[in-house]
Amino acid sequence: MGTRRDRRGPGARADRRRGDLPRQQEQRDDGPADPRAGPERQPERACPLAEPDTQRVAHADAAEPRRRAAPASGGRITDPRTGLSFAAPGDPWEVPKSAEINSPDPNAQQWLAGSRAISHEKYDGQSDWTGSIYSGELHAIYPYEGVQGLRGTVATVFIDFGSRFYPIKHERKILQDKAITVDGHKGWVLEYELDFTAESEKNGYQWKKERGAVVVVDRGEGKRPALLYASVPDNLDTGVVTQVLNSLKLS
């Protein structure tokens, strides 16, 4: 992702983006400016990012000079609110501060756990393009009608994130779009591949393709579902997305 890629949550417009899921074929996308862009420092949020090995601790103090390193392979990163967790990708991934990836806008998706790595520092002369794996409770701006509406909710999130997070021209291909089960809870996954090759070769970007996924998992009556968003450029190993999807758990 670009100036985009700390992937700050989208705003209230998202609840009006209910379109159908994209067709299972390549298509060209020209997205607008992306909130995943390099971090603009914002006031620390009340919602903490999860620490490795399921610890639930407050986010780092704003004065902390460095981000926390993500746990080595074999550890897990857990969302303290929803209980959704995934296997930590290891080096060079880091656990960012909450303020680096969350917008102060109350109508924005808030990420409560996650990991991030730089794909291309200052790819446009100013902003970093990064890989991101974030989770949180699905914001109320995204409609949810229960397990029968899982696919529609994933489509809404995907369309909104796609328009916000990928400002560079690319080709898009859907890899899977199907129902899943996470520890007995029904969910839906939409996995996709973005091809930036033409723009990459023209501009000297350090990545050419990127694989991503949007996952929504139902948590039972009266609870908002868990949301996971992953997007990994090829120079950070797109196999990380498969690793994360295969390791999902919900406690």
Side-chain angles (χ1 to χ4, degrees):
M1 316 193 294
T3 49
R4 60 167 217 159
R5 314 288 268 203
D6 56 356
R7 316 225 180 194
R8 294 177 187 272
R13 290 191 301 167
D15 60 351
R16 298 197 291 271
R17 298 174 175 271
R18 264 197 85 91
D20 294 333
L21 278 168
R23 302 186 179 201
Q24 306 267 343
Q25 61 185 28
E26 293 187 356
Q27 50 187 306
R28 193 166 189 80
D29 288 330
D30 300 327
D34 173 359
R36 287 195 292 178
E40 291 179 357
R41 298 284 173 166
Q42 301 287 348
E44 285 290 324
R45 305 290 296 169
C47 295
L49 278 168
E51 285 284 313
D53 297 323
T54 72
Q55 284 183 287
R56 288 145 165 84
V57 300
H59 53 66
D61 183 82
E64 181 184 348
R66 297 190 306 142
R67 301 179 183 90
R68 296 184 295 273
S73 298
R76 297 190 67 79
I77 295 177
T78 302
D79 179 342
R81 181 173 298 172
T82 67
L84 187 68
S85 69
F86 57 89
D91 187 68
W93 294 76
E94 300 175 321
V95 175
K97 295 180 183 178
S98 175
E100 292 178 328
I101 63 172
N102 284 316
S103 166
D105 181 357
N107 292 315
Q109 175 65 45
Q110 298 296 299
W111 303 117
L112 305 178
S115 190
R116 180 177 62 180
I118 294 177
S119 168
H120 187 162
E121 187 173 3
K122 293 181 171 53
Y123 77 98
D124 59 357
Q126 296 181 334
S127 307
D128 296 338
W129 193 266
T130 70
S132 304
I133 309 167
Y134 299 148
S135 64
E137 186 176 73
L138 183 73
H139 198 289
I141 60 172
Y142 299 112
Y144 184 64
E145 301 171 352
V147 294
Q148 71 276 12
L150 279 165
R151 187 172 188 261
T153 297
V154 168
T156 300
V157 174
F158 173 73
I159 291 168
D160 186 60
F161 283 13
S163 70
R164 296 171 182 271
F165 293 166
Y166 305 101
I168 301 172
K169 292 180 181 179
H170 56 273
E171 301 292 325
R172 183 179 68 198
K173 180 168 62 176
I174 302 303
L175 302 178
Q176 61 173 333
D177 171 23
K178 66 179 185 180
I180 59 172
T181 301
V182 180
D183 287 330
H185 295 262
K186 292 183 178 181
W188 199 276
V189 59
L190 176 61
E191 186 178 6
Y192 54 93
E193 181 183 81
L194 307 179
D195 189 344
F196 298 91
T197 300
E199 293 298 311
S200 176
E201 292 180 347
K202 180 166 52 176
N203 294 285
Y205 298 148
Q206 294 175 12
W207 81 100
K208 291 185 177 181
K209 293 186 178 182
E210 185 156 348
R211 182 174 296 184
V214 174
V215 179
V216 174
V217 182
D218 184 80
R219 297 169 57 220
E221 188 175 354
K223 297 179 180 179
R224 294 292 292 175
L227 169 66
L228 178 124
Y229 167 66
S231 195
V232 181
D234 54 9
N235 64 342
L236 292 173
D237 184 5
T238 58
V240 168
V241 176
T242 300
Q243 171 188 319
V244 167
L245 295 179
N246 289 343
S247 69
L248 286 176
K249 293 183 179 181
L250 186 66
S251 58

